[in-house]
Amino acid sequence: QIQLMESGGALVQPGVSLRLSCAASGFTFSTSAMSWYRQAPGKERELVARVSMEGNTNYADSVKGRFTISRDNAKNTVYLQMNSLKREDTAVYYCHALWWDSYWGQGTQVTVSS
Protein backbone atom coordinates (compact mmCIF):
# COMPACT_ATOMS: atom_id res chain seq x y z
CA GLN A 1 0.00 0.00 0.00
CA ILE A 2 1.47 3.33 -1.06
CA GLN A 3 1.47 5.96 1.67
CA LEU A 4 2.66 9.55 1.81
CA MET A 5 2.70 11.12 5.25
CA GLU A 6 3.34 14.86 5.51
CA SER A 7 4.45 16.59 8.69
CA GLY A 8 5.83 19.91 9.82
CA GLY A 9 2.94 22.24 9.16
CA ALA A 10 2.39 24.99 11.72
CA LEU A 11 1.14 28.47 12.48
CA VAL A 12 4.09 30.84 12.06
CA GLN A 13 4.77 34.54 11.75
CA PRO A 14 5.82 36.16 8.48
CA GLY A 15 9.53 35.98 7.77
CA VAL A 16 10.28 32.78 9.63
CA SER A 17 11.33 29.41 8.24
CA LEU A 18 9.61 26.05 8.31
CA ARG A 19 10.51 22.61 6.99
CA LEU A 20 7.94 20.14 5.76
CA SER A 21 8.65 16.43 5.50
CA CYS A 22 6.94 13.69 3.56
CA ALA A 23 7.68 10.10 4.50
CA ALA A 24 6.91 7.67 1.70
CA SER A 25 6.32 3.94 1.76
CA GLY A 26 4.98 1.16 -0.42
CA PHE A 27 6.88 1.94 -3.60
CA THR A 28 10.40 2.41 -4.94
CA PHE A 29 10.96 5.94 -3.74
CA SER A 30 14.27 6.42 -5.55
CA THR A 31 12.61 5.97 -8.94
CA SER A 32 9.76 8.37 -8.29
CA ALA A 33 9.47 12.05 -9.07
CA MET A 34 8.32 13.82 -5.92
CA SER A 35 6.52 17.11 -5.62
CA TRP A 36 4.95 19.52 -3.18
CA TYR A 37 1.66 21.17 -4.07
CA ARG A 38 -0.42 23.62 -2.09
CA GLN A 39 -4.01 24.72 -2.00
CA ALA A 40 -5.12 27.96 -0.42
CA PRO A 41 -8.76 28.59 0.54
CA GLY A 42 -10.85 29.29 -2.53
CA LYS A 43 -7.99 28.56 -4.92
CA GLU A 44 -6.93 25.64 -7.06
CA ARG A 45 -4.16 23.32 -6.05
CA GLU A 46 -0.85 24.50 -7.48
CA LEU A 47 2.60 23.02 -7.93
CA VAL A 48 5.15 24.46 -5.51
CA ALA A 49 8.26 22.41 -6.24
CA ARG A 50 9.31 19.16 -7.89
CA VAL A 51 12.40 16.99 -7.68
CA SER A 52 13.04 14.30 -10.25
CA MET A 53 14.50 10.92 -9.44
CA GLU A 54 17.80 12.29 -10.78
CA GLY A 55 17.61 15.20 -8.35
CA ASN A 56 16.67 17.93 -10.81
CA THR A 57 14.41 20.56 -9.30
CA ASN A 58 11.95 23.15 -10.47
CA TYR A 59 9.88 25.70 -8.58
CA ALA A 60 6.88 27.93 -8.90
CA ASP A 61 7.91 31.50 -9.59
CA SER A 62 6.27 32.63 -6.36
CA VAL A 63 8.64 30.56 -4.22
CA LYS A 64 11.89 30.67 -6.19
CA GLY A 65 14.77 31.74 -3.98
CA ARG A 66 12.80 31.09 -0.79
CA PHE A 67 11.85 27.40 -0.92
CA THR A 68 14.09 24.40 -1.46
CA ILE A 69 12.95 20.87 -2.22
CA SER A 70 15.23 17.97 -1.45
CA ARG A 71 15.04 14.23 -1.16
CA ASP A 72 16.76 11.60 0.95
CA ASN A 73 16.43 8.28 -0.84
CA ALA A 74 17.94 6.42 2.12
CA LYS A 75 15.07 7.66 4.30
CA ASN A 76 12.36 7.60 1.61
CA THR A 77 11.63 11.20 2.51
CA VAL A 78 11.19 14.43 0.59
CA TYR A 79 11.53 17.81 2.25
CA LEU A 80 10.41 21.33 1.58
CA GLN A 81 12.49 23.99 3.29
CA MET A 82 10.50 27.21 3.34
CA ASN A 83 12.29 30.44 4.22
CA SER A 84 11.05 34.02 4.46
CA LEU A 85 7.46 32.86 4.68
CA LYS A 86 4.77 35.26 3.55
CA ARG A 87 1.08 35.45 4.36
CA GLU A 88 0.32 34.33 0.83
CA ASP A 89 2.11 31.05 1.51
CA THR A 90 -0.77 30.07 3.77
CA ALA A 91 -2.24 26.84 2.40
CA VAL A 92 -2.57 23.13 2.85
CA TYR A 93 0.61 21.58 1.49
CA TYR A 94 0.40 18.18 -0.19
CA CYS A 95 3.09 15.69 -1.01
CA HIS A 96 2.78 14.01 -4.40
CA ALA A 97 4.49 10.99 -5.91
CA LEU A 98 4.52 10.06 -9.57
CA TRP A 99 5.36 6.38 -9.80
CA TRP A 100 3.45 4.63 -12.56
CA ASP A 101 0.44 6.47 -11.16
CA SER A 102 -0.29 9.60 -9.15
CA TYR A 103 -0.37 9.49 -5.35
CA TRP A 104 -1.18 12.14 -2.76
CA GLY A 105 -0.66 12.62 0.93
CA GLN A 106 -3.36 13.91 3.24
CA GLY A 107 -1.86 17.38 3.50
CA THR A 108 -0.41 19.54 6.25
CA GLN A 109 -1.60 23.04 7.11
CA VAL A 110 0.78 25.97 6.95
CA THR A 111 -0.57 29.26 8.25
CA VAL A 112 1.51 32.42 8.06
CA SER A 113 0.03 35.14 10.20
CA SER A 114 1.09 37.78 12.67
Side-chain angles (χ1 to χ4, degrees):
Q1 181 181 1
I2 290 177
Q3 289 189 328
L4 300 172
M5 187 67 67
E6 302 99 333
S7 62
L11 169 61
V12 297
Q13 293 186 339
V16 304
S17 298
L18 198 61
R19 189 177 80 159
L20 305 182
S21 300
C22 171
S25 60
F27 63 102
T28 308
F29 180 82
S30 62
T31 64
S32 173
M34 300 297 299
S35 302
W36 286 96
Y37 285 75
R38 68 185 180 187
Q39 188 166 18
K43 295 187 177 181
E44 294 187 353
R45 192 172 298 189
E46 63 174 355
L47 175 67
V48 175
R50 174 176 289 129
V51 57
S52 70
M53 64 178 184
E54 297 88 359
N56 299 315
T57 59
N58 59 283
Y59 298 91
D61 288 342
S62 59
V63 306
K64 280 181 181 176
R66 298 189 298 123
F67 290 12
T68 302
I69 188 171
S70 61
R71 63 190 301 158
D72 185 336
N73 290 339
K75 296 182 178 180
N76 286 359
T77 301
V78 62
Y79 304 98
L80 185 68
Q81 178 67 42
M82 305 185 292
N83 298 330
S84 302
L85 281 163
K86 303 177 181 180
R87 289 180 177 83
E88 51 264 43
D89 294 319
T90 294
V92 178
Y93 284 72
Y94 296 92
C95 180
H96 176 266
L98 186 63
W99 189 75
W100 297 104
D101 205 341
S102 182
Y103 301 93
W104 296 92
Q106 84 290 346
T108 186
Q109 176 71 48
V110 173
T111 303
V112 184
S113 175
S114 55

